[in-house]
Amino acid sequence: MSQTAKDKYVRMTTAPVPRLVGELAVPTIVSMLVTSFYVMADTYFVGQLNTQSTAAVGISFSVMAIVQAFGFFFGHGSGNYISRMLGARDYRSAETMASTGFFCAFLAGLLILSVGQLFITPICRTLGSTPTILPYACTYLGIVLWGAPFMASSLVLNNQMRFQGNAVYAMVGIIVGAVLNVGLDPLLIFVFDLGIAGAAFSTLVSQVCSFVVLVLMDRRGTNIRIRFRNFSPRPALLKEIVLGGSPSMCRQGLSSLSTILLNVAAGGYGDAAIAAMSIVTRICMFINSFVVGFGQGYQPVCGFNYGAGLYHRVYQGFWFCVKTGTVFLFVFAVTGYWQAPAVVSWFRADDPEVIAIGARALRWQLITLPLGAYVILCNMMLQTIRKPVRALVMSSARQGLYFVPCILLLPAYFGLQGVEMCQAVADFCAFLTGLPMALPVLRQFTATSSPSVS
């Protein structure tokens, strides 16, 4: 073991947990906020064009969620394993897993690109495009799909560096892509008059550039180098990826499904409803990105210390993150509830119907927003310590077990209000589910040196 690796091990297993999580969380929070910001930037600039373009970006988001699902599947699956191996001081296994996860994700992105380009029109129709939205959705999605391989493998690099405790390097790649996207959006959309195609090209260019920067960052510091000779898709490693990454795949895949069902349900009330729900989804994603980033700062601490058998530090870090995240989300929920119409109008100021629908939906979601900190941290902890069944339940709860039935049933009884309130109901049910999923594991951390709850 190199001296640098020894120093990292000592730091991850002995430094005060709140300070350590805070230090690791800062770059991941910045990365998450910046990523959410540039997703919102697309929505904002496209929103200056027309309601159909705004809705088209929302329609396309479900496909990008599928790309993200594969990126997180291979990124979290390999990253969880890497952090545990580093905690156990097995560096050779960590190196092999890093390259295997990266190249598998790139191949998955190529597959999504190929299928997407072959069936672009039927895919857009299935996603909920109305006849007026369809041409805009096909244009936008047809362009951004070319970035699928780069997006998927970038997410793997980002997560692997984060799980190694090197989130600053991952942050650099994310920020470069985000800043480029925000700068190119108005230039290509308005100056070059490319409309929604300009937003798509901006996203594509930023994804490719972010990928290049992340590859360069991976070659710096104590990051494990990606080398093709270490690519080894043997069953034992793939099994580890499946066990560690399935909750992320399930969560992101269900997010894509829920977005499709949301767009289909909202489409029954016109293009304005689709645009409004798309805007609200982006706003809540941006707010939650703080807690997600904070949780991502906790994950390497969790993985290292779980691998080292220091379970009390896993417990301490979990509750520190939950308390901090809950306070943060509560402040945003109160402020956002009061200013909901003004917040939605930032994205579509000249369409009163979009503002009215969006403000009601946003207020519904903000009611249960503070509960999200516990739900997010439960999922991350259970996934990192490889409790696959419990992690899978938690990752499925918010967007699958509860949202899908809600979006299928509530609009039938409450109309448009049923669409607006679905996410709030699902979030509350996910919180209740998280209590029996995580609390027994947490109690065992304080009662035994060898947790066995599966």
Side-chain angles (χ1 to χ4, degrees):
M1 188 193 309
S2 69
Q3 185 60 45
T4 304
K6 288 181 180 178
D7 292 342
K8 177 183 286 187
Y9 178 85
V10 170
R11 173 172 173 259
M12 295 292 284
T13 56
T14 62
V17 172
R19 189 184 74 194
L20 182 59
V21 171
E23 291 173 355
L24 293 173
V26 169
T28 59
I29 290 172
V30 172
S31 296
M32 289 301 303
L33 290 175
V34 170
T35 300
S36 298
F37 180 75
Y38 91 73
V39 171
M40 290 178 68
D42 265 0
T43 305
Y44 173 79
F45 288 116
V46 169
Q48 312 309 305
L49 297 171
N50 51 56
T51 298
Q52 286 70 36
S53 293
T54 306
V57 173
I59 291 289
S60 303
F61 183 71
S62 53
V63 174
M64 304 318 294
I66 292 174
V67 179
Q68 291 176 340
F70 279 94
F72 284 124
F73 172 70
F74 291 108
H76 286 168
S78 61
N80 286 327
Y81 180 83
I82 288 169
S83 68
R84 294 197 308 273
M85 290 304 100
L86 292 177
R89 308 187 189 188
D90 184 353
Y91 295 94
R92 178 58 186 164
S93 295
E95 288 177 345
T96 303
M97 177 60 87
S99 296
T100 302
F102 174 84
F103 288 109
C104 284
F106 196 88
L107 292 173
L110 286 175
L111 179 62
I112 295 171
L113 166 62
S114 302
V115 174
Q117 294 295 351
L118 284 173
F119 303 103
I120 186 74
T121 300
I123 286 174
C124 288
R125 287 200 182 101
T126 303
L127 297 179
S129 291
T130 63
T132 51
I133 295 172
L134 184 61
Y136 297 94
C138 288
T139 298
Y140 184 84
L141 185 59
I143 295 170
V144 298
L145 269 173
W146 288 101
F150 304 101
M151 182 180 184
S153 48
S154 291
L155 287 170
V156 173
L157 285 175
N158 184 11
N159 281 285
Q160 287 182 354
M161 284 188 268
R162 182 170 56 78
F163 275 101
Q164 295 172 61
N166 296 326
V168 173
Y169 292 105
M171 180 185 70
V172 173
I174 297 297
I175 289 179
V176 168
V179 171
L180 190 60
N181 188 67
V182 173
L184 286 176
D185 260 339
L187 181 67
L188 297 180
I189 294 172
F190 303 115
V191 177
F192 288 93
D193 198 26
L194 293 177
I196 194 170
F201 280 119
S202 174
T203 299
L204 174 60
V205 171
S206 67
Q207 287 174 352
V208 174
C209 290
S210 181
F211 169 81
V212 172
V213 173
L214 283 168
V215 169
L216 294 176
M217 289 294 103
D218 181 67
R219 299 180 178 278
R220 303 188 64 179
T222 59
N223 288 310
I224 296 173
R225 275 41 171 180
I226 301 297
R227 296 184 175 93
F228 188 74
R229 69 171 180 265
N230 289 333
F231 177 48
S232 178
R234 60 180 186 267
L237 289 182
L238 295 179
K239 178 182 177 182
E240 290 293 338
I241 290 176
V242 170
L243 291 174
S246 290
S248 295
M249 169 69 84
C250 189
R251 181 180 62 251
Q252 290 297 124
L254 288 170
S255 176
S256 178
L257 174 62
S258 67
T259 301
I260 294 170
L261 294 175
L262 178 63
N263 289 330
V264 171
Y269 303 93
D271 293 354
I274 297 178
M277 297 310 298
S278 174
I279 289 170
V280 171
T281 299
R282 300 301 188 282
I283 293 170
C284 291
M285 182 189 302
F286 180 76
I287 297 172
N288 275 315
S289 63
F290 172 87
V291 179
V292 174
F294 207 69
Q296 289 178 344
Y298 165 68
Q299 281 182 299
V301 178
C302 178
F304 260 86
N305 287 280
Y306 187 82
L310 302 173
Y311 305 120
H312 66 285
R313 289 172 61 82
V314 178
Y315 178 93
Q316 183 183 0
F318 175 84
W319 286 116
F320 169 69
C321 292
V322 169
K323 293 173 184 177
T324 305
T326 301
V327 171
F328 176 86
L329 292 181
F330 179 79
V331 172
F332 264 82
V334 172
T335 305
Y337 195 94
W338 177 44
Q339 292 290 334
V343 173
V344 176
S345 69
W346 293 344
F347 300 89
R348 197 79 189 103
D350 59 352
D351 194 327
E353 188 178 6
V354 171
I355 295 173
I357 296 171
R360 290 195 302 268
L362 181 59
R363 281 174 169 155
W364 271 108
Q365 292 198 28
L366 292 176
I367 291 173
T368 56
L369 185 72
L371 302 179
Y374 178 81
V375 174
I376 291 169
L377 266 299
C378 279
N379 186 24
M380 289 184 168
M381 179 198 68
L382 293 170
Q383 184 176 358
T384 302
I385 65 175
R386 217 185 80 169
K387 302 292 182 184
V389 176
R390 291 168 181 264
L392 192 61
V393 171
M394 285 307 303
S395 65
S396 305
R398 184 173 182 265
Q399 298 287 11
L401 294 178
Y402 301 118
F403 185 88
V404 171
C406 284
I407 197 64
L408 293 175
L409 295 175
L410 292 183
Y413 291 98
F414 300 102
L416 179 57
Q417 185 183 36
V419 177
E420 296 164 351
M421 66 191 291
C422 275
Q423 191 63 70
V425 175
D427 287 350
F428 180 71
C429 293
F431 172 77
L432 295 180
T433 301
L435 298 177
M437 288 296 105
L439 292 182
V441 177
L442 289 165
R443 280 197 297 268
Q444 202 170 57
F445 283 150
T446 62
T448 178
S449 61
S450 181
S452 58
V453 176
S454 61

